[in-house]
Amino acid sequence: MANEKFDLAVLGGGPGGYVAAIRAAQLGLRIAIIDDNEKFGGTCLRIGCIPSKALLESSHLYEETRHHLAAHGISATGVSVDLAKLMERKTKIVDALTGGINILLKRNKVTMFVGRGVLRSPNLIEVNGANRTEVHAAKILIATGSIPASLPGVKVDGNLIGDSTTAISYESVPKRLVVIGAGYIGLELGSVWNRLGSKVTVLEAMDRILLGLDGEIAKLAHRTFVKQGIEFKTSAWVQSAEMHGSECVVQCKDSEPIKADRVLMCTGRVPNTTNLGLEQLKITVDRRGFIQVDEKFETKVTGVFAIGDCIGGAMLAHKASEEGVACVERIVTGHAHVNYDAIPAIVYTSPEIATVGKNEEQLTEAGIEFKKGVCPYGANGRARTLGDIDGRVKILAHASTDRILGVHAIGLRAGDLIAEAAVAINFGASAEDLARCCHAHPTLSEIMQEAALIVAGRSIHT
Ligand code: FAD
């Protein structure tokens, strides 16, 4: 094994790395993949997308059962949560999916190595696991992902003051939870614990939540989360968070200390690129540590590539996978690219928030004239039957060409609706193209069609 030479060695088994490895194997390359965890699937499957969505679903059902079934004439009494069981379900889902990745890798004849990898040359990764192994390859692809960012003064102890990894495994519901950072991870996990009974306070340094998201949609989301009982303090500069006895105390600039039972640090993620041997190989990183690559995802060193969270951009699983596929297809065929304008992003709160393409602020800043169509969920029959009419879909189209430039939605299953918008943007569709596509009735997808009709000023239902 140690002397076997691979065509490509992939360092990191997350959605960037494992997808790249499988695609490269399908294209006929001999592939090695290395991860420091025996459960392949990376942050996303083990401690990110999947466990957080499992918890969101369970806590949503709990919320629905307690507060929303009565409107259907269904009464439920004595509703309670068995947190251990809820966590057990989450773990089973993670195990099933990570186990599935191992099967996929084996089926595609990808050789797996478990251990911490360090680049020793452009053709050699040293792997320190149960044994020390050398993996030789013609080319190397780095997909080592990201880790939670830290904040000076906040003493993360992995327990009461923890990050998202801690927050997906609390053993009891904290009475008071302070979330530092109103990005999507903080809001998703804040929602989970709010629904399960915590008094959640979210501290955000900016004067708004969900920075980077369409401003109007973020404002609506903020209002809804407040109605759900989450407290927000914006423009709150956290200076410290530490334990005072058994209590967490968070100090923001110019304000009274906030006491809590747990603190959840969610101030973003930073590239996982230290101690990889990059400096020795003269692979350059930017000042935040993101590996610098060209349009082929090749680093400054010929034959060494990088994709996913560790190169920056949208830190999303599907973006990492897209880059992984494009990178290896380009290595083998010379073609492939990623359309960064068509990468959707979803916040899986209730309501869901979904976005793809440019938002109003970005278009205005770029001096691009646009027209918009905004359709409220209330105009949609299916939304009414589902009992949830809060939300809207907004389509932004070029003022003269009508080409769709961005779609932003908040509301029930907005995350599913956005897929159509991503396809439309990818194919360069106009709002009229979308409006002229027949959408099944009664479905929420009709909101998308109606928003497209509104762009042309010929709405039927609003
Ligand atoms: P990773 O998934 O981070 O994988 C990198 C792998 O490399 C890891 O397994 C790591 O252990 C391994 N590794 C690192 N260094 C070494 C080394 N030297 N040797 C060996 N192995 C190494 N994204 C979404 O798209 N949708 C979501 O709903 C979503 N929810 C999230 C929720 C949470 C709580 C978190 C934390 C993240 C979430 N994300 C979500 C982000 C998503 O998880 C990441 O964008 C995605 O995992 C990045 O993929 P990657 O392959 O680049 O890196």
Side-chain angles (χ1 to χ4, degrees):
M1 180 81 73
N3 294 324
E4 189 176 352
K5 176 133 187 205
F6 294 92
D7 296 316
L8 178 73
V10 180
L11 183 58
Y18 86 76
V19 170
I22 291 174
R23 183 69 192 121
Q26 288 170 347
L27 290 167
L29 302 189
R30 287 193 316 138
I31 306 296
I33 188 165
I34 302 136
D35 199 284
D36 52 12
N37 195 301
E38 62 185 6
K39 288 184 184 174
F40 280 70
T43 303
C44 175
L45 268 71
R46 282 197 315 266
I47 49 170
C49 326
I50 297 301
S52 61
K53 267 76 241 175
L55 297 183
L56 276 159
E57 190 58 29
S58 298
S59 59
H60 177 65
L61 282 179
Y62 179 52
E63 177 83 3
E64 288 287 294
T65 311
R66 284 189 311 154
H67 301 300
H68 301 287
L69 290 189
H72 296 263
I74 302 168
S75 57
T77 48
V79 181
S80 64
V81 168
D82 179 341
L83 191 60
K85 189 123 195 155
L86 186 150
M87 291 292 172
E88 193 185 307
R89 173 181 179 273
K90 173 209 71 177
T91 306
K92 271 191 192 153
I93 295 169
V94 169
D95 287 348
L97 287 172
T98 51
I101 302 301
N102 280 47
I103 293 169
L104 286 175
L105 289 167
K106 271 188 202 140
R107 194 185 295 158
N108 284 281
K109 302 195 171 34
V110 175
T111 307
M112 288 173 266
F113 295 88
V114 177
R116 182 97 198 143
V118 180
L119 273 72
R120 293 296 179 210
S121 86
N123 306 104
L124 171 64
I125 299 177
E126 179 185 312
V127 182
N128 291 295
N131 302 306
R132 185 185 158 281
T133 315
E134 290 189 344
V135 176
H136 298 264
K139 291 184 170 56
I140 287 175
L141 171 57
I142 306 170
T144 49
S146 62
I147 50 173
S150 57
L151 203 61
V154 177
K155 294 184 182 148
V156 173
D157 59 11
N159 183 20
L160 297 180
I161 301 179
D163 53 32
S164 56
T165 307
T166 328
I168 56 169
S169 295
Y170 293 162
E171 281 162 5
S172 60
V173 178
K175 280 203 175 66
R176 301 159 302 171
L177 172 67
V178 167
V179 179
I180 305 176
Y184 81 94
I185 296 177
L187 292 174
E188 286 183 1
L189 293 174
S191 292
V192 165
W193 293 105
N194 178 53
R195 292 170 192 164
L196 294 178
S198 300
K199 171 71 201 126
V200 175
T201 305
V202 179
L203 307 177
E204 169 56 54
M206 298 293 127
D207 60 358
R208 55 163 286 184
I209 68 166
L210 291 168
L211 195 69
L213 205 91
D214 184 274
E216 182 195 0
I217 300 283
K219 237 182 233 162
L220 287 170
H222 189 159
R223 219 179 289 156
T224 311
F225 296 143
V226 170
K227 271 195 222 153
Q228 292 170 356
I230 298 180
E231 189 188 349
F232 287 88
K233 291 185 196 294
T234 49
S235 306
W237 283 93
V238 173
Q239 291 180 316
S240 65
E242 48 194 31
M243 297 304 300
H244 288 191
S246 58
E247 206 167 42
C248 312
V249 177
V250 184
Q251 182 65 58
C252 294
K253 194 169 175 232
D254 303 328
S255 69
E256 289 296 305
I258 304 167
K259 294 176 178 167
D261 302 294
R262 280 189 182 272
V263 173
L264 164 53
M265 259 286 288
C266 284
T267 50
R269 296 180 64 80
V270 292
N272 191 4
T273 51
T274 48
N275 303 323
L276 290 182
L278 302 183
E279 311 77 28
Q280 288 78 357
L281 264 67
K282 306 222 174 345
I283 293 173
T284 53
V285 296
D286 71 10
R287 66 183 169 79
R288 290 181 298 163
F290 290 110
I291 300 174
Q292 294 181 309
V293 293
D294 63 14
E295 71 292 347
K296 293 184 298 206
F297 303 101
E298 197 160 17
T299 66
K300 287 277 182 294
V301 175
T302 306
V304 179
F305 300 79
I307 51 122
D309 278 12
C310 69
I311 65 165
M315 286 175 140
L316 294 169
H318 44 282
K319 175 263 194 188
S321 301
E322 284 291 305
E323 289 179 343
V325 169
C327 175
V328 298
E329 286 190 348
R330 196 145 180 171
I331 289 173
V332 177
T333 69
H335 311 286
H337 82 292
V338 174
N339 180 358
Y340 287 100
D341 282 331
I343 296 193
I346 298 160
V347 187
Y348 296 83
T349 46
S350 180
E352 287 183 352
I353 302 159
T355 172
V356 61
K358 300 273 186 282
N359 62 38
E360 288 201 48
E361 292 82 3
Q362 290 165 330
L363 292 175
T364 306
E365 201 181 308
I368 298 169
E369 285 189 38
F370 61 92
K371 45 192 179 171
K372 66 176 166 180
V374 182
C375 180
Y377 269 58
N380 179 269
R382 187 69 195 280
R384 292 209 171 255
T385 64
L386 291 166
D388 197 342
I389 57 164
D390 285 340
R392 60 181 62 177
V393 170
K394 171 162 73 176
I395 296 183
L396 307 175
H398 194 279
S400 52
T401 66
D402 195 38
R403 187 177 179 142
I404 299 171
L405 302 172
V407 179
H408 310 276
I410 178 167
L412 187 66
R413 298 176 201 165
D416 294 322
L417 296 189
I418 210 71
E420 175 180 8
V423 172
I425 290 180
N426 225 344
F427 285 124
S430 65
E432 183 170 356
D433 288 331
L434 207 58
R436 288 192 181 280
C437 289
C438 183
H439 288 65
H441 177 74
T443 60
L444 295 177
S445 71
E446 290 170 289
I447 307 174
M448 190 68 75
Q449 185 181 25
E450 196 72 29
L453 282 164
I454 295 170
V455 173
R458 52 189 192 90
S459 159
I460 304 283
H461 295 100
T462 60

